[in-house]
Amino acid sequence: MFSSSILLQILACAIYNNWWPMLSALMYVIVPMPCLFFGGGSTQFLMSRDGGGWIDAAKFLTGASSVGSIAIPIILKHAHMIETGAMLIELVSFFIFVCTVLCFHQASLDDDW
């Protein structure tokens, strides 16, 4: 699923011969960084109400970078830097990426895996 998301990112750029949509692929790298740095590499702290300074900062940064993943293609379309089709492909790519992350999170919570 992650590979198809990246493939859609590349197709959004290649089909319209404009590589600005690849800017949102940078957010795919930034989204898991707060979990790695502040959460000890697990995603379980995101669903808990427990927190402290660093845990709350990780939750905020994860949410802000997730919103940025949606906002970048929309802002680029509004600025007429990309076409509508590229924006839609980017948003579908983000939806597939979110489904991948949710599947990974669910699989990491199960003890059978």
Side-chain angles (χ1 to χ4, degrees):
M1 287 175 63
F2 181 74
S3 298
S4 63
S5 176
I6 296 298
L7 176 68
L8 284 174
Q9 286 279 332
I10 294 170
L11 282 177
C13 298
I15 289 174
Y16 296 98
N17 198 18
N18 184 355
W19 291 92
W20 277 107
M22 195 56 82
L23 187 62
S24 64
L26 176 67
M27 298 306 286
Y28 288 0
V29 175
I30 293 175
V31 168
M33 290 301 163
C35 292
L36 293 174
F37 294 144
F38 303 123
S42 72
T43 59
Q44 295 179 2
F45 76 95
L46 290 173
M47 300 298 176
S48 70
R49 291 189 181 265
D50 299 334
W54 293 113
I55 299 296
D56 290 339
K59 289 178 183 179
F60 174 77
L61 290 173
T62 302
S65 56
S66 298
V67 169
S69 297
I70 298 171
I72 287 174
I74 295 171
I75 291 170
L76 288 174
K77 169 62 181 113
H78 181 72
H80 302 291
M81 296 180 80
I82 64 173
E83 301 290 327
T84 304
M87 180 191 70
L88 293 174
I89 293 172
E90 290 285 322
L91 294 176
V92 168
S93 172
F94 178 73
F95 176 72
I96 292 172
F97 179 71
V98 167
C99 289
T100 305
V101 169
L102 290 176
C103 288
F104 172 76
H105 178 68
Q106 185 63 33
S108 68
L109 290 179
D110 290 341
D111 292 334
D112 297 336
W113 287 89

